[in-house]
Amino acid sequence: MTRLTAKIIENVPSGIAHLNEELEKKIKMDMRNFACRSIGVNAGDIDFGSYSVAIVPVTSGEGIIGGFSRSVAVAVGALGMRSFVTEACDVTGISEAFSSSADIIFMADDERFIALNTKTRSFSDNIWSTARGYVTALGLAEEGGLEGKRVLVIGAGRVGREAVKMLRNEGALVEVTDIIPERARMLESRFEGVRAISEVDEAIRSNRLILNASPGTIPGDLISQDAVISSPGVPYAFDEEGERRAKVIIHDVLSLGVAVMAVASVGLSLFDFSAADVVADRTAIQ
Ligand code: PYL
């Protein structure tokens, strides 16, 4: 998964209202309802204003990403939850979050980004939540959903692998491609209804439904007319030609995954998302 930079996320806080408008246009719902839909809960069952959410900056590894905690706080706040960034970082920040009786604590090191529910002890994971959100968005943007349809997944990293599993659960016929062919072949051997594709350009040309979970750029002349594209990949992959040809491209660099994490961490989720799966998957070919 691409490590975010302050530059990549600099417009997240100011862009939240626009993202909501984009979602209303592309999938006919706002970010709160989208996040709830992604994990199968009813927005009306959650009293968003009753949740206090702390975001704790973490200095480990490559350290703090400028604007990351604030961007997460703004995305969570856009759901109607009461979010704040702790003054302190790391363990001191976690103790501050507990002292402030935060219900949910978001924190990210270079490996994992989680939202921990201090009451239920359940936690949601950004990888799972991002895959869940973008698979849901693809199904919402595609007339009649994904069942029985071919979907191309570009990128067999952690998000791509989760997305392949979820797409199969939705009855899609999945083609997957990756810059490391072995990663795509591993998924083909592991799941029924998944085909590894080595010729990525041909695969993009011949698929109208695409979930792009790769950091690469995708030349617009490969995109089929009226393509429906759900793209968690960072940085943004598409040029003007691709935007002209596609019927819809759903993309953002952080907020959609965070919104799904926040709703998932409330703990009403019908999904049994065991974050262990995501961690275990780390042992897969990277
Ligand atoms: C969670 C993001 C989504 C894409 N890549 C993941 C990433 O950049 N992870 C690193 C996050 C580090 C955050 C830093 C801070 O500012 O607290 N520890």
Side-chain angles (χ1 to χ4, degrees), residues 23 26-27 34 38 130-147 149-153 163 166-167 170 172-174 207-212 226-232 247-251 256:
L23 288 174
K26 294 176 178 178
I27 57 172
F34 158 76
S38 292
T130 299
R132 185 72 237 143
Y134 279 87
V135 165
T136 303
L138 189 68
L140 289 169
E142 166 63 4
E143 292 290 315
L146 302 176
E147 179 141 20
K149 296 188 186 166
R150 276 187 323 130
V151 176
L152 173 65
V153 174
M166 294 168 181
L167 286 164
E170 312 237 338
L173 303 169
V174 181
N207 276 283
R208 190 180 57 80
L209 300 175
I210 295 175
L211 191 142
N212 171 46
D226 293 335
V228 175
I229 302 172
S230 187
S231 185
K247 179 182 171 209
V248 62
I249 298 175
I250 296 151
H251 169 77
L256 293 188

mmCIF file of all heavy atoms in Angstrom, residues 23 26-27 34 38 130-147 149-153 163 166-167 170 172-174 207-212 226-232 247-251 256:
data_model
loop_
_atom_site.group_PDB
_atom_site.id
_atom_site.type_symbol
_atom_site.label_atom_id
_atom_site.label_comp_id
_atom_site.label_asym_id
_atom_site.label_seq_id
_atom_site.Cartn_x
_atom_site.Cartn_y
_atom_site.Cartn_z
ATOM 1 N N LEU A 23 -20.040 11.795 -4.271
ATOM 2 C CA LEU A 23 -20.674 10.503 -3.961
ATOM 3 C C LEU A 23 -22.169 10.549 -4.273
ATOM 4 O O LEU A 23 -22.724 9.615 -4.864
ATOM 5 C CB LEU A 23 -20.449 10.132 -2.490
ATOM 6 C CG LEU A 23 -19.039 9.710 -2.104
ATOM 7 C CD1 LEU A 23 -18.938 9.520 -0.601
ATOM 8 C CD2 LEU A 23 -18.616 8.443 -2.839
ATOM 9 N N LYS A 26 -22.398 10.128 -7.961
ATOM 10 C CA LYS A 26 -21.919 8.866 -8.555
ATOM 11 C C LYS A 26 -22.609 7.633 -8.005
ATOM 12 O O LYS A 26 -22.813 6.656 -8.713
ATOM 13 C CB LYS A 26 -20.404 8.748 -8.332
ATOM 14 C CG LYS A 26 -19.616 9.816 -9.078
ATOM 15 C CD LYS A 26 -18.133 9.738 -8.774
ATOM 16 C CE LYS A 26 -17.361 10.795 -9.564
ATOM 17 N NZ LYS A 26 -15.903 10.776 -9.247
ATOM 18 N N ILE A 27 -22.950 7.651 -6.697
ATOM 19 C CA ILE A 27 -23.584 6.447 -6.133
ATOM 20 C C ILE A 27 -24.869 6.795 -5.377
ATOM 21 O O ILE A 27 -25.418 5.986 -4.651
ATOM 22 C CB ILE A 27 -22.612 5.684 -5.196
ATOM 23 C CG1 ILE A 27 -22.112 6.579 -4.059
ATOM 24 C CG2 ILE A 27 -21.447 5.088 -5.986
ATOM 25 C CD1 ILE A 27 -21.317 5.820 -2.997
ATOM 26 N N PHE A 34 -22.991 5.791 2.651
ATOM 27 C CA PHE A 34 -22.113 4.869 1.898
ATOM 28 C C PHE A 34 -21.352 3.973 2.865
ATOM 29 O O PHE A 34 -21.272 2.753 2.692
ATOM 30 C CB PHE A 34 -21.143 5.679 1.033
ATOM 31 C CG PHE A 34 -19.914 4.931 0.658
ATOM 32 C CD1 PHE A 34 -19.939 3.959 -0.329
ATOM 33 C CD2 PHE A 34 -18.720 5.178 1.334
ATOM 34 C CE1 PHE A 34 -18.797 3.248 -0.652
ATOM 35 C CE2 PHE A 34 -17.576 4.474 1.012
ATOM 36 C CZ PHE A 34 -17.608 3.503 0.018
ATOM 37 N N SER A 38 -21.689 -0.007 3.198
ATOM 38 C CA SER A 38 -20.502 -0.856 2.950
ATOM 39 C C SER A 38 -20.424 -2.013 3.932
ATOM 40 O O SER A 38 -19.928 -3.089 3.604
ATOM 41 C CB SER A 38 -19.222 -0.022 3.050
ATOM 42 O OG SER A 38 -19.158 0.903 1.989
ATOM 43 N N THR A 130 -11.005 -0.239 3.380
ATOM 44 C CA THR A 130 -10.829 0.379 2.057
ATOM 45 C C THR A 130 -11.324 -0.568 0.974
ATOM 46 O O THR A 130 -12.092 -0.169 0.084
ATOM 47 C CB THR A 130 -9.344 0.733 1.840
ATOM 48 O OG1 THR A 130 -8.944 1.668 2.860
ATOM 49 C CG2 THR A 130 -9.120 1.346 0.469
ATOM 50 N N ALA A 131 -10.939 -1.832 1.073
ATOM 51 C CA ALA A 131 -11.409 -2.816 0.074
ATOM 52 C C ALA A 131 -12.931 -2.916 0.122
ATOM 53 O O ALA A 131 -13.603 -2.864 -0.919
ATOM 54 C CB ALA A 131 -10.776 -4.181 0.355
ATOM 55 N N ARG A 132 -13.474 -2.987 1.334
ATOM 56 C CA ARG A 132 -14.925 -3.102 1.496
ATOM 57 C C ARG A 132 -15.633 -1.909 0.879
ATOM 58 O O ARG A 132 -16.619 -2.030 0.149
ATOM 59 C CB ARG A 132 -15.221 -3.198 3.002
ATOM 60 C CG ARG A 132 -16.659 -3.443 3.369
ATOM 61 C CD ARG A 132 -17.120 -4.856 3.047
ATOM 62 N NE ARG A 132 -18.267 -4.811 2.172
ATOM 63 C CZ ARG A 132 -18.492 -5.675 1.188
ATOM 64 N NH1 ARG A 132 -17.631 -6.647 0.956
ATOM 65 N NH2 ARG A 132 -19.548 -5.574 0.420
ATOM 66 N N GLY A 133 -15.095 -0.731 1.136
ATOM 67 C CA GLY A 133 -15.730 0.492 0.624
ATOM 68 C C GLY A 133 -15.693 0.571 -0.893
ATOM 69 O O GLY A 133 -16.713 0.847 -1.539
ATOM 70 N N TYR A 134 -14.533 0.253 -1.465
ATOM 71 C CA TYR A 134 -14.423 0.427 -2.919
ATOM 72 C C TYR A 134 -15.116 -0.686 -3.702
ATOM 73 O O TYR A 134 -15.592 -0.471 -4.822
ATOM 74 C CB TYR A 134 -12.953 0.597 -3.330
ATOM 75 C CG TYR A 134 -12.494 2.023 -3.098
ATOM 76 C CD1 TYR A 134 -11.990 2.416 -1.861
ATOM 77 C CD2 TYR A 134 -12.651 2.985 -4.084
ATOM 78 C CE1 TYR A 134 -11.627 3.736 -1.631
ATOM 79 C CE2 TYR A 134 -12.286 4.310 -3.862
ATOM 80 C CZ TYR A 134 -11.778 4.680 -2.650
ATOM 81 O OH TYR A 134 -11.423 5.995 -2.419
ATOM 82 N N VAL A 135 -15.232 -1.868 -3.095
ATOM 83 C CA VAL A 135 -16.038 -2.923 -3.736
ATOM 84 C C VAL A 135 -17.509 -2.519 -3.687
ATOM 85 O O VAL A 135 -18.244 -2.627 -4.677
ATOM 86 C CB VAL A 135 -15.819 -4.281 -3.029
ATOM 87 C CG1 VAL A 135 -16.888 -5.304 -3.418
ATOM 88 C CG2 VAL A 135 -14.421 -4.821 -3.349
ATOM 89 N N THR A 136 -17.933 -1.990 -2.555
ATOM 90 C CA THR A 136 -19.325 -1.528 -2.417
ATOM 91 C C THR A 136 -19.616 -0.411 -3.420
ATOM 92 O O THR A 136 -20.644 -0.428 -4.111
ATOM 93 C CB THR A 136 -19.580 -1.021 -0.988
ATOM 94 O OG1 THR A 136 -19.278 -2.066 -0.061
ATOM 95 C CG2 THR A 136 -21.032 -0.587 -0.812
ATOM 96 N N ALA A 137 -18.681 0.519 -3.527
ATOM 97 C CA ALA A 137 -18.883 1.660 -4.442
ATOM 98 C C ALA A 137 -19.011 1.176 -5.887
ATOM 99 O O ALA A 137 -19.877 1.631 -6.642
ATOM 100 C CB ALA A 137 -17.721 2.649 -4.317
ATOM 101 N N LEU A 138 -18.198 0.193 -6.255
ATOM 102 C CA LEU A 138 -18.267 -0.355 -7.626
ATOM 103 C C LEU A 138 -19.646 -0.963 -7.879
ATOM 104 O O LEU A 138 -20.287 -0.715 -8.901
ATOM 105 C CB LEU A 138 -17.184 -1.410 -7.819
ATOM 106 C CG LEU A 138 -16.979 -1.923 -9.251
ATOM 107 C CD1 LEU A 138 -16.407 -0.832 -10.155
ATOM 108 C CD2 LEU A 138 -16.066 -3.149 -9.267
ATOM 109 N N GLY A 139 -20.137 -1.703 -6.898
ATOM 110 C CA GLY A 139 -21.458 -2.345 -7.043
ATOM 111 C C GLY A 139 -22.582 -1.327 -7.095
ATOM 112 O O GLY A 139 -23.572 -1.513 -7.805
ATOM 113 N N LEU A 140 -22.416 -0.234 -6.359
ATOM 114 C CA LEU A 140 -23.449 0.810 -6.368
ATOM 115 C C LEU A 140 -23.434 1.596 -7.675
ATOM 116 O O LEU A 140 -24.480 2.044 -8.155
ATOM 117 C CB LEU A 140 -23.222 1.773 -5.187
ATOM 118 C CG LEU A 140 -23.526 1.215 -3.798
ATOM 119 C CD1 LEU A 140 -23.000 2.167 -2.716
ATOM 120 C CD2 LEU A 140 -25.029 0.987 -3.623
ATOM 121 N N ALA A 141 -22.237 1.734 -8.257
ATOM 122 C CA ALA A 141 -22.114 2.542 -9.488
ATOM 123 C C ALA A 141 -22.520 1.744 -10.722
ATOM 124 O O ALA A 141 -22.839 2.318 -11.761
ATOM 125 C CB ALA A 141 -20.675 3.031 -9.639
ATOM 126 N N GLU A 142 -22.531 0.409 -10.595
ATOM 127 C CA GLU A 142 -22.837 -0.451 -11.749
ATOM 128 C C GLU A 142 -24.309 -0.848 -11.711
ATOM 129 O O GLU A 142 -24.758 -1.512 -10.779
ATOM 130 C CB GLU A 142 -21.941 -1.696 -11.718
ATOM 131 C CG GLU A 142 -22.361 -2.826 -12.653
ATOM 132 C CD GLU A 142 -22.326 -2.444 -14.156
ATOM 133 O OE1 GLU A 142 -21.909 -1.314 -14.482
ATOM 134 O OE2 GLU A 142 -22.755 -3.286 -14.970
ATOM 135 N N GLU A 143 -25.046 -0.447 -12.741
ATOM 136 C CA GLU A 143 -26.474 -0.813 -12.832
ATOM 137 C C GLU A 143 -26.647 -2.311 -12.605
ATOM 138 O O GLU A 143 -25.983 -3.111 -13.282
ATOM 139 C CB GLU A 143 -27.005 -0.512 -14.248
ATOM 140 C CG GLU A 143 -27.092 0.963 -14.628
ATOM 141 C CD GLU A 143 -28.190 1.699 -13.870
ATOM 142 O OE1 GLU A 143 -29.310 1.164 -13.768
ATOM 143 O OE2 GLU A 143 -27.865 2.778 -13.326
ATOM 144 N N GLY A 144 -27.461 -2.679 -11.646
ATOM 145 C CA GLY A 144 -27.748 -4.104 -11.444
ATOM 146 C C GLY A 144 -26.688 -4.844 -10.641
ATOM 147 O O GLY A 144 -26.745 -6.060 -10.497
ATOM 148 N N GLY A 145 -25.679 -4.124 -10.151
ATOM 149 C CA GLY A 145 -24.693 -4.777 -9.265
ATOM 150 C C GLY A 145 -23.681 -5.622 -10.016
ATOM 151 O O GLY A 145 -23.581 -5.567 -11.238
ATOM 152 N N LEU A 146 -22.950 -6.442 -9.275
ATOM 153 C CA LEU A 146 -21.759 -7.117 -9.832
ATOM 154 C C LEU A 146 -21.950 -8.612 -10.066
ATOM 155 O O LEU A 146 -21.121 -9.253 -10.703
ATOM 156 C CB LEU A 146 -20.584 -6.911 -8.858
ATOM 157 C CG LEU A 146 -20.203 -5.467 -8.553
ATOM 158 C CD1 LEU A 146 -19.095 -5.428 -7.493
ATOM 159 C CD2 LEU A 146 -19.770 -4.715 -9.808
ATOM 160 N N GLU A 147 -23.052 -9.163 -9.558
ATOM 161 C CA GLU A 147 -23.213 -10.629 -9.642
ATOM 162 C C GLU A 147 -23.131 -11.118 -11.087
ATOM 163 O O GLU A 147 -23.771 -10.559 -11.979
ATOM 164 C CB GLU A 147 -24.563 -11.051 -9.053
ATOM 165 C CG GLU A 147 -24.792 -12.564 -9.148
ATOM 166 C CD GLU A 147 -25.460 -13.125 -7.910
ATOM 167 O OE1 GLU A 147 -26.080 -12.332 -7.178
ATOM 168 O OE2 GLU A 147 -25.336 -14.331 -7.688
ATOM 169 N N LYS A 149 -20.866 -10.741 -13.200
ATOM 170 C CA LYS A 149 -20.146 -9.853 -14.133
ATOM 171 C C LYS A 149 -18.635 -9.980 -13.933
ATOM 172 O O LYS A 149 -18.164 -10.289 -12.846
ATOM 173 C CB LYS A 149 -20.579 -8.396 -13.920
ATOM 174 C CG LYS A 149 -22.046 -8.180 -14.251
ATOM 175 C CD LYS A 149 -22.443 -6.722 -14.228
ATOM 176 C CE LYS A 149 -23.953 -6.569 -14.426
ATOM 177 N NZ LYS A 149 -24.405 -5.200 -14.071
ATOM 178 N N ARG A 150 -17.893 -9.720 -15.026
ATOM 179 C CA ARG A 150 -16.437 -9.748 -14.934
ATOM 180 C C ARG A 150 -15.937 -8.427 -14.348
ATOM 181 O O ARG A 150 -16.365 -7.350 -14.760
ATOM 182 C CB ARG A 150 -15.827 -9.931 -16.343
ATOM 183 C CG ARG A 150 -15.760 -11.377 -16.786
ATOM 184 C CD ARG A 150 -14.999 -11.544 -18.099
ATOM 185 N NE ARG A 150 -15.227 -10.468 -19.038
ATOM 186 C CZ ARG A 150 -14.238 -9.806 -19.650
ATOM 187 N NH1 ARG A 150 -12.972 -10.109 -19.375
ATOM 188 N NH2 ARG A 150 -14.504 -8.853 -20.508
ATOM 189 N N VAL A 151 -15.037 -8.544 -13.379
ATOM 190 C CA VAL A 151 -14.414 -7.347 -12.795
ATOM 191 C C VAL A 151 -12.903 -7.545 -12.839
ATOM 192 O O VAL A 151 -12.397 -8.622 -12.465
ATOM 193 C CB VAL A 151 -14.849 -7.135 -11.330
ATOM 194 C CG1 VAL A 151 -14.104 -5.947 -10.713
ATOM 195 C CG2 VAL A 151 -16.364 -6.904 -11.241
ATOM 196 N N LEU A 152 -12.203 -6.522 -13.303
ATOM 197 C CA LEU A 152 -10.740 -6.568 -13.306
ATOM 198 C C LEU A 152 -10.204 -5.864 -12.059
ATOM 199 O O LEU A 152 -10.575 -4.710 -11.800
ATOM 200 C CB LEU A 152 -10.180 -5.866 -14.546
ATOM 201 C CG LEU A 152 -8.654 -5.688 -14.579
ATOM 202 C CD1 LEU A 152 -7.929 -7.048 -14.657
ATOM 203 C CD2 LEU A 152 -8.242 -4.789 -15.744
ATOM 204 N N VAL A 153 -9.390 -6.572 -11.291
ATOM 205 C CA VAL A 153 -8.702 -5.959 -10.148
ATOM 206 C C VAL A 153 -7.256 -5.728 -10.568
ATOM 207 O O VAL A 153 -6.547 -6.673 -10.947
ATOM 208 C CB VAL A 153 -8.756 -6.861 -8.902
ATOM 209 C CG1 VAL A 153 -7.917 -6.272 -7.759
ATOM 210 C CG2 VAL A 153 -10.217 -7.032 -8.448
ATOM 211 N N ALA A 163 -10.027 -7.130 -1.828
ATOM 212 C CA ALA A 163 -11.086 -6.800 -2.800
ATOM 213 C C ALA A 163 -11.452 -8.027 -3.635
ATOM 214 O O ALA A 163 -12.644 -8.291 -3.885
ATOM 215 C CB ALA A 163 -10.635 -5.654 -3.699
ATOM 216 N N MET A 166 -13.725 -10.217 -1.619
ATOM 217 C CA MET A 166 -15.053 -9.618 -1.472
ATOM 218 C C MET A 166 -15.829 -9.661 -2.779
ATOM 219 O O MET A 166 -17.025 -9.939 -2.798
ATOM 220 C CB MET A 166 -14.921 -8.173 -0.979
ATOM 221 C CG MET A 166 -14.354 -8.067 0.431
ATOM 222 S SD MET A 166 -13.916 -6.333 0.799
ATOM 223 C CE MET A 166 -13.274 -6.524 2.469
ATOM 224 N N LEU A 167 -15.135 -9.436 -3.898
ATOM 225 C CA LEU A 167 -15.813 -9.481 -5.202
ATOM 226 C C LEU A 167 -16.323 -10.884 -5.481
ATOM 227 O O LEU A 167 -17.434 -11.070 -5.993
ATOM 228 C CB LEU A 167 -14.858 -9.030 -6.309
ATOM 229 C CG LEU A 167 -14.572 -7.526 -6.360
ATOM 230 C CD1 LEU A 167 -13.335 -7.227 -7.205
ATOM 231 C CD2 LEU A 167 -15.798 -6.775 -6.896
ATOM 232 N N GLU A 170 -19.399 -11.475 -3.805
ATOM 233 C CA GLU A 170 -20.543 -10.796 -4.422
ATOM 234 C C GLU A 170 -20.911 -11.466 -5.745
ATOM 235 O O GLU A 170 -21.752 -10.978 -6.484
ATOM 236 C CB GLU A 170 -20.221 -9.313 -4.683
ATOM 237 C CG GLU A 170 -19.601 -8.613 -3.494
ATOM 238 C CD GLU A 170 -20.397 -7.397 -3.045
ATOM 239 O OE1 GLU A 170 -21.162 -6.860 -3.849
ATOM 240 O OE2 GLU A 170 -20.259 -7.007 -1.876
ATOM 241 N N ALA A 172 -19.008 -11.885 -8.420
ATOM 242 C CA ALA A 172 -18.346 -11.371 -9.635
ATOM 243 C C ALA A 172 -17.331 -12.407 -10.123
ATOM 244 O O ALA A 172 -16.833 -13.214 -9.335
ATOM 245 C CB ALA A 172 -17.644 -10.050 -9.322
ATOM 246 N N LEU A 173 -17.051 -12.347 -11.431
ATOM 247 C CA LEU A 173 -15.999 -13.194 -12.002
ATOM 248 C C LEU A 173 -14.757 -12.304 -12.077
ATOM 249 O O LEU A 173 -14.770 -11.291 -12.784
ATOM 250 C CB LEU A 173 -16.423 -13.656 -13.395
ATOM 251 C CG LEU A 173 -17.772 -14.405 -13.408
ATOM 252 C CD1 LEU A 173 -18.261 -14.596 -14.831
ATOM 253 C CD2 LEU A 173 -17.652 -15.729 -12.668
ATOM 254 N N VAL A 174 -13.729 -12.649 -11.340
ATOM 255 C CA VAL A 174 -12.621 -11.719 -11.137
ATOM 256 C C VAL A 174 -11.418 -12.062 -12.009
ATOM 257 O O VAL A 174 -11.020 -13.229 -12.098
ATOM 258 C CB VAL A 174 -12.196 -11.706 -9.655
ATOM 259 C CG1 VAL A 174 -11.055 -10.723 -9.419
ATOM 260 C CG2 VAL A 174 -13.389 -11.338 -8.759
ATOM 261 N N ASN A 207 -12.032 -4.934 -20.136
ATOM 262 C CA ASN A 207 -12.905 -4.963 -18.948
ATOM 263 C C ASN A 207 -13.546 -3.614 -18.725
ATOM 264 O O ASN A 207 -12.861 -2.590 -18.582
ATOM 265 C CB ASN A 207 -12.084 -5.363 -17.714
ATOM 266 C CG ASN A 207 -11.945 -6.873 -17.591
ATOM 267 O OD1 ASN A 207 -12.881 -7.565 -17.167
ATOM 268 N ND2 ASN A 207 -10.795 -7.394 -17.982
ATOM 269 N N ARG A 208 -14.871 -3.641 -18.640
ATOM 270 C CA ARG A 208 -15.626 -2.387 -18.410
ATOM 271 C C ARG A 208 -15.697 -2.062 -16.920
ATOM 272 O O ARG A 208 -15.789 -0.917 -16.522
ATOM 273 C CB ARG A 208 -17.042 -2.554 -18.977
ATOM 274 C CG ARG A 208 -17.880 -1.281 -19.046
ATOM 275 C CD ARG A 208 -19.259 -1.564 -19.633
ATOM 276 N NE ARG A 208 -19.965 -2.587 -18.885
ATOM 277 C CZ ARG A 208 -20.613 -2.350 -17.741
ATOM 278 N NH1 ARG A 208 -20.598 -1.139 -17.206
ATOM 279 N NH2 ARG A 208 -21.251 -3.318 -17.098
ATOM 280 N N LEU A 209 -15.599 -3.106 -16.051
ATOM 281 C CA LEU A 209 -15.661 -2.909 -14.595
ATOM 282 C C LEU A 209 -14.263 -3.112 -14.028
ATOM 283 O O LEU A 209 -13.654 -4.169 -14.212
ATOM 284 C CB LEU A 209 -16.640 -3.910 -13.965
ATOM 285 C CG LEU A 209 -18.083 -3.840 -14.458
ATOM 286 C CD1 LEU A 209 -18.921 -4.966 -13.834
ATOM 287 C CD2 LEU A 209 -18.704 -2.488 -14.120
ATOM 288 N N ILE A 210 -13.754 -2.068 -13.362
ATOM 289 C CA ILE A 210 -12.363 -2.115 -12.886
ATOM 290 C C ILE A 210 -12.281 -1.643 -11.436
ATOM 291 O O ILE A 210 -12.879 -0.618 -11.084
ATOM 292 C CB ILE A 210 -11.457 -1.224 -13.761
ATOM 293 C CG1 ILE A 210 -11.392 -1.774 -15.198
ATOM 294 C CG2 ILE A 210 -10.040 -1.126 -13.177
ATOM 295 C CD1 ILE A 210 -10.605 -0.894 -16.174
ATOM 296 N N LEU A 211 -11.562 -2.413 -10.624
ATOM 297 C CA LEU A 211 -11.186 -1.933 -9.292
ATOM 298 C C LEU A 211 -9.673 -1.787 -9.301
ATOM 299 O O LEU A 211 -8.947 -2.780 -9.416
ATOM 300 C CB LEU A 211 -11.625 -2.900 -8.189
ATOM 301 C CG LEU A 211 -11.489 -2.319 -6.772
ATOM 302 C CD1 LEU A 211 -12.645 -2.733 -5.857
ATOM 303 C CD2 LEU A 211 -10.168 -2.621 -6.137
ATOM 304 N N ASN A 212 -9.213 -0.542 -9.222
ATOM 305 C CA ASN A 212 -7.777 -0.286 -9.324
ATOM 306 C C ASN A 212 -7.186 -0.075 -7.927
ATOM 307 O O ASN A 212 -7.445 0.925 -7.277
ATOM 308 C CB ASN A 212 -7.516 0.971 -10.170
ATOM 309 C CG ASN A 212 -6.050 1.370 -10.094
ATOM 310 O OD1 ASN A 212 -5.159 0.526 -10.230
ATOM 311 N ND2 ASN A 212 -5.794 2.632 -9.810
ATOM 312 N N ASP A 226 -17.568 4.023 -21.299
ATOM 313 C CA ASP A 226 -18.534 3.753 -20.213
ATOM 314 C C ASP A 226 -17.987 2.817 -19.140
ATOM 315 O O ASP A 226 -18.767 2.169 -18.430
ATOM 316 C CB ASP A 226 -19.833 3.148 -20.775
ATOM 317 C CG ASP A 226 -20.553 4.193 -21.632
ATOM 318 O OD1 ASP A 226 -20.316 5.396 -21.387
ATOM 319 O OD2 ASP A 226 -21.296 3.791 -22.541
ATOM 320 N N ALA A 227 -16.668 2.769 -19.009
ATOM 321 C CA ALA A 227 -16.091 1.946 -17.919
ATOM 322 C C ALA A 227 -16.587 2.471 -16.571
ATOM 323 O O ALA A 227 -16.804 3.679 -16.399
ATOM 324 C CB ALA A 227 -14.577 2.009 -17.979
ATOM 325 N N VAL A 228 -16.790 1.545 -15.642
ATOM 326 C CA VAL A 228 -17.141 1.905 -14.256
ATOM 327 C C VAL A 228 -15.935 1.530 -13.408
ATOM 328 O O VAL A 228 -15.546 0.350 -13.362
ATOM 329 C CB VAL A 228 -18.408 1.142 -13.797
ATOM 330 C CG1 VAL A 228 -18.703 1.418 -12.320
ATOM 331 C CG2 VAL A 228 -19.615 1.538 -14.666
ATOM 332 N N ILE A 229 -15.326 2.547 -12.801
ATOM 333 C CA ILE A 229 -14.035 2.323 -12.137
ATOM 334 C C ILE A 229 -14.076 2.770 -10.673
ATOM 335 O O ILE A 229 -14.489 3.892 -10.373
ATOM 336 C CB ILE A 229 -12.917 3.108 -12.862
ATOM 337 C CG1 ILE A 229 -12.833 2.686 -14.342
ATOM 338 C CG2 ILE A 229 -11.565 2.880 -12.174
ATOM 339 C CD1 ILE A 229 -11.894 3.545 -15.180
ATOM 340 N N SER A 230 -13.644 1.877 -9.808
ATOM 341 C CA SER A 230 -13.541 2.177 -8.376
ATOM 342 C C SER A 230 -12.064 2.099 -8.047
ATOM 343 O O SER A 230 -11.442 1.057 -8.270
ATOM 344 C CB SER A 230 -14.338 1.137 -7.574
ATOM 345 O OG SER A 230 -14.389 1.472 -6.220
ATOM 346 N N SER A 231 -11.473 3.219 -7.565
ATOM 347 C CA SER A 231 -10.012 3.291 -7.563
ATOM 348 C C SER A 231 -9.441 3.812 -6.245
ATOM 349 O O SER A 231 -9.188 5.016 -6.096
ATOM 350 C CB SER A 231 -9.552 4.204 -8.711
ATOM 351 O OG SER A 231 -8.139 4.182 -8.784
ATOM 352 N N PRO A 232 -9.197 2.891 -5.295
ATOM 353 C CA PRO A 232 -8.526 3.296 -4.047
ATOM 354 C C PRO A 232 -7.039 3.567 -4.246
ATOM 355 O O PRO A 232 -6.383 4.114 -3.363
ATOM 356 C CB PRO A 232 -8.732 2.089 -3.124
ATOM 357 C CG PRO A 232 -8.940 0.928 -4.041
ATOM 358 C CD PRO A 232 -9.600 1.476 -5.258
ATOM 359 N N LYS A 247 -17.547 6.009 -17.582
ATOM 360 C CA LYS A 247 -18.869 6.488 -17.140
ATOM 361 C C LYS A 247 -18.701 7.105 -15.758
ATOM 362 O O LYS A 247 -19.300 8.151 -15.452
ATOM 363 C CB LYS A 247 -19.844 5.301 -17.098
ATOM 364 C CG LYS A 247 -21.246 5.657 -16.630
ATOM 365 C CD LYS A 247 -22.134 4.423 -16.563
ATOM 366 C CE LYS A 247 -23.476 4.739 -15.879
ATOM 367 N NZ LYS A 247 -24.018 3.545 -15.207
ATOM 368 N N VAL A 248 -17.900 6.456 -14.899
ATOM 369 C CA VAL A 248 -17.688 6.984 -13.547
ATOM 370 C C VAL A 248 -16.349 6.458 -13.006
ATOM 371 O O VAL A 248 -15.957 5.323 -13.298
ATOM 372 C CB VAL A 248 -18.858 6.578 -12.615
ATOM 373 C CG1 VAL A 248 -18.949 5.076 -12.468
ATOM 374 C CG2 VAL A 248 -18.749 7.231 -11.255
ATOM 375 N N ILE A 249 -15.668 7.331 -12.286
ATOM 376 C CA ILE A 249 -14.437 6.935 -11.572
ATOM 377 C C ILE A 249 -14.604 7.371 -10.122
ATOM 378 O O ILE A 249 -14.865 8.558 -9.872
ATOM 379 C CB ILE A 249 -13.185 7.621 -12.157
ATOM 380 C CG1 ILE A 249 -12.966 7.201 -13.620
ATOM 381 C CG2 ILE A 249 -11.939 7.249 -11.317
ATOM 382 C CD1 ILE A 249 -11.799 7.932 -14.308
ATOM 383 N N ILE A 250 -14.540 6.419 -9.208
ATOM 384 C CA ILE A 250 -14.662 6.755 -7.782
ATOM 385 C C ILE A 250 -13.273 6.650 -7.163
ATOM 386 O O ILE A 250 -12.606 5.612 -7.272
ATOM 387 C CB ILE A 250 -15.643 5.794 -7.077
ATOM 388 C CG1 ILE A 250 -17.055 5.975 -7.650
ATOM 389 C CG2 ILE A 250 -15.651 6.012 -5.569
ATOM 390 C CD1 ILE A 250 -17.900 4.752 -7.586
ATOM 391 N N HIS A 251 -12.830 7.751 -6.577
ATOM 392 C CA HIS A 251 -11.471 7.791 -6.015
ATOM 393 C C HIS A 251 -11.410 8.826 -4.906
ATOM 394 O O HIS A 251 -12.047 9.865 -4.981
ATOM 395 C CB HIS A 251 -10.456 8.192 -7.108
ATOM 396 C CG HIS A 251 -9.088 8.507 -6.538
ATOM 397 N ND1 HIS A 251 -8.223 7.527 -6.147
ATOM 398 C CD2 HIS A 251 -8.492 9.686 -6.260
ATOM 399 C CE1 HIS A 251 -7.118 8.093 -5.666
ATOM 400 N NE2 HIS A 251 -7.250 9.394 -5.716
ATOM 401 N N LEU A 256 -12.731 7.809 2.292
ATOM 402 C CA LEU A 256 -13.743 6.734 2.167
ATOM 403 C C LEU A 256 -13.359 5.538 3.040
ATOM 404 O O LEU A 256 -14.199 4.991 3.753
ATOM 405 C CB LEU A 256 -13.918 6.311 0.710
ATOM 406 C CG LEU A 256 -14.540 7.352 -0.226
ATOM 407 C CD1 LEU A 256 -14.842 6.744 -1.583
ATOM 408 C CD2 LEU A 256 -15.791 7.970 0.380
#
